[in-house]
Amino acid sequence: MPDRAHARPGAPTLADEQRAVIELIESTREHVFVTGRAGTGKSTLLEAFLEQTERTVVVCAPTGVAALNVGGQTIHSLFRLPIGLIADADLDDAPHLRRLLGGVDTIVIDEVSMVSADLMDAIDRRLRSARARPREPFGGAQVVLFGDPYQLAPVPGRDAGERAYYADHYRSIWFFDARVWQEADLRIVELQTIHRQRDEAFRQMLSAVRHGEVTPEIGRALNEAGARPAPDDGILTLASTNATVSRINGRELARLDGALKTAKAEVVGEFGGAGGYPADESLQLKVGAQVMFLRNDTQGDGAPRWVNGTLGTVERIGRTVFVEVDGESHEVHPATWEKYRYTYSAAQKRVTKDVIGEFTQFPLRLAWAVTIHKSQGQTYDRAVVDLGPRAFAPGQTYVALSRIRSLEGLHLVRPLRPSDIIVDDDVRRFMADVEPVIGREVNAG
């Protein structure tokens, strides 16, 4: 039977250090970067802040899916910025954009580690102009950033020209090397308490992988644990490429008897292309298929039947889909994701968030395998980690290993090698200056 992924449904329950971070954001106008290791509750903190703040806040993220996850807009859509290298290109300030950005107190950017230095400077330039405060960083607005540079990186320049521009104008492509930070102070807060793993030894191993400090002893311990044969009763594979995921899911689906059923998504309004869809536009299922839920259960007042990341098995397919989770059968209806756009309401004299598009589909995807990238934010009791011939991106191995709750749940397709532990040198430089002041103050008390 597939494992159930763990998450925190309902109203967020905060640790002391999380409450202290919210107090810092609410009580000051400081620009704050909230970071922390996998499982320290960055998403929970963001959710709680948005629920309780009385400030006028807009939320954005670098990709469509990330923006959907936080109920916001993409950065390019919110700030009306061109795709690709922006550099010193003219940015026209439409009246509606000036009214919108002029009415904002705080701008939250989630998954900021995927934001380039050029894009961060463009956000700064847009805000200075739109808010008519050209001498103030971000036009006087507070900027709050969430993310972990050890896990996700910005996409390198698309061509030689872009890469040459970054080499000439920036110390690195990362958001923290944007020119705006030469004028603005960035308060860096690193959450310390890990809620995902309870075993201190495993926590220390993951920390070593995160920082690129894996000793031979740690490497042996991880490989010995991961060498145990993986069970074949619904375990999930975390793979490094879409090709591997498609191959595994396609192979397992083909092995099942019975008719293949296809559910077509309904897309209404402005939702962008398929690359920004939160689920498959065409979902193919069979009875017996292993699936993952893509959002929390919103039905009823009791305990949720599933959460985002829960694994289950398809039992029956009709107008709805019945999925077995932990021995219980649940009827799953199509879910609707809403795409938002912030606007300024002259009548209400405030910033509003309007629905501009809807995507309706069963909140399921095939899940014998999922990419390491799409496993971001999830927790599993056990998983098979398939890095392919080699890990090819900084933080990739750390993200994969840190999804798993305990060392006993780790299974490796092949042993880890030193070359699989990749840490960006610019991230090391930036994070060397982090002072987890809030975490230390709270823990000391």
Side-chain angles (χ1 to χ4, degrees), residues 25-260:
I25 297 170
E26 291 272 42
S27 64
T28 72
R29 304 294 298 178
E30 288 188 67
H31 306 301
V32 181
F33 173 42
V34 182
T35 189
R37 289 169 286 179
T40 50
K42 297 182 291 295
S43 296
T44 300
L45 191 158
L46 172 55
E47 179 186 350
F49 167 67
L50 295 176
E51 283 185 0
Q52 72 182 55
T53 187
E54 296 184 0
R55 289 184 178 177
T56 299
V57 178
V58 295
V59 188
C60 58
T63 67
V65 173
L68 284 174
N69 288 340
V70 291
Q73 277 186 253
T74 65
I75 292 171
H76 290 86
S77 171
L78 175 63
F79 294 101
R80 303 294 192 269
L81 297 172
I83 301 296
L85 187 68
I86 300 171
D88 297 322
D90 291 335
L91 302 177
D92 295 330
D93 282 337
H96 73 277
L97 189 59
R98 290 198 297 270
R99 290 192 294 269
L100 168 62
L101 297 180
V104 170
D105 298 317
T106 300
I107 294 151
V108 172
I109 303 177
D110 195 28
E111 302 292 10
V112 71
S113 62
M114 299 176 69
V115 175
S116 69
D118 172 68
L119 183 55
M120 182 62 68
D121 278 335
I123 294 169
D124 170 52
R125 190 150 58 97
R126 171 66 85 196
L127 285 166
R128 292 185 196 227
S129 177
R131 294 168 65 89
R133 298 182 182 180
R135 296 183 182 276
E136 295 184 56
F138 301 109
Q142 180 189 39
V143 173
V144 180
L145 313 174
F146 284 80
D148 182 7
Y150 284 110
Q151 295 188 57
L152 289 174
V155 178
R158 299 181 182 182
D159 55 40
E162 285 192 24
R163 291 191 291 273
Y165 178 85
Y166 278 107
D168 287 343
H169 291 80
Y170 291 104
R171 186 170 181 180
S172 79
I173 193 175
W174 289 88
F175 75 93
F176 49 75
D177 280 328
R179 290 188 292 269
V180 64
W181 302 120
Q182 297 172 16
E183 300 180 51
D185 292 327
L186 180 61
R187 178 83 174 266
I188 306 170
V189 177
E190 186 172 25
L191 298 174
Q192 300 295 299
T193 304
I194 298 175
H195 305 281
R196 181 172 296 153
Q197 290 88 18
R198 299 297 182 188
D199 178 17
E200 183 58 31
F202 190 39
R203 287 179 179 178
Q204 291 179 3
M205 292 179 193
L206 293 177
S207 181
V209 174
R210 182 178 190 245
H211 294 98
E213 299 171 349
V214 176
T215 63
E217 292 75 20
I218 291 175
R220 279 196 297 273
L222 289 170
N223 283 331
E224 287 174 3
R228 289 170 290 112
D232 56 5
D233 57 344
I235 194 167
L236 176 71
T237 294
L238 305 179
S240 58
T241 66
N242 284 312
T244 300
V245 168
S246 297
R247 174 176 54 79
I248 294 173
N249 285 333
R251 179 192 68 208
E252 296 301 321
L253 188 65
R255 286 178 176 174
L256 296 176
D257 296 328
L260 184 69

Side-chain angles (χ1 to χ4, degrees), residues 343-396:
T343 58
Y344 181 80
S345 171
Q348 301 179 51
K349 303 296 184 185
R350 64 183 181 88
V351 174
T352 62
K353 190 167 72 169
D354 306 314
V355 177
I356 62 167
E358 294 182 343
F359 178 95
T360 302
Q361 176 62 287
F362 289 102
L364 303 168
R365 73 157 52 102
L366 293 177
W368 286 281
V370 66
T371 61
I372 293 169
H373 182 80
K374 287 184 178 178
S375 74
Q376 195 83 18
Q378 303 299 335
T379 304
Y380 300 101
D381 288 331
R382 56 183 187 168
V384 174
V385 175
D386 184 355
L387 294 172
R390 64 181 179 88
F392 55 82
Q396 190 175 52

Side-chain angles (χ1 to χ4, degrees), residues 357-433:
E358 294 182 343
F359 178 95
T360 302
Q361 176 62 287
F362 289 102
L364 303 168
R365 73 157 52 102
L366 293 177
W368 286 281
V370 66
T371 61
I372 293 169
H373 182 80
K374 287 184 178 178
S375 74
Q376 195 83 18
Q378 303 299 335
T379 304
Y380 300 101
D381 288 331
R382 56 183 187 168
V384 174
V385 175
D386 184 355
L387 294 172
R390 64 181 179 88
F392 55 82
Q396 190 175 52
T397 301
Y398 172 64
V399 170
L401 298 181
S402 61
R403 299 311 96 196
I404 303 168
R405 185 173 293 279
S406 68
L407 193 60
E408 289 70 29
L410 172 64
H411 303 273
L412 297 170
V413 169
R414 62 161 176 81
L416 296 176
R417 298 187 288 263
S419 58
D420 294 321
I421 313 300
I422 308 172
V423 181
D424 190 289
D425 287 338
D426 291 303
V427 172
R428 279 197 176 103
R429 165 177 55 84
F430 172 66
M431 295 295 284
D433 295 331

Side-chain angles (χ1 to χ4, degrees), residues 262-274:
T262 302
K264 296 284 189 179
E266 180 182 357
V267 185
V268 178
E270 303 176 38
F271 216 95

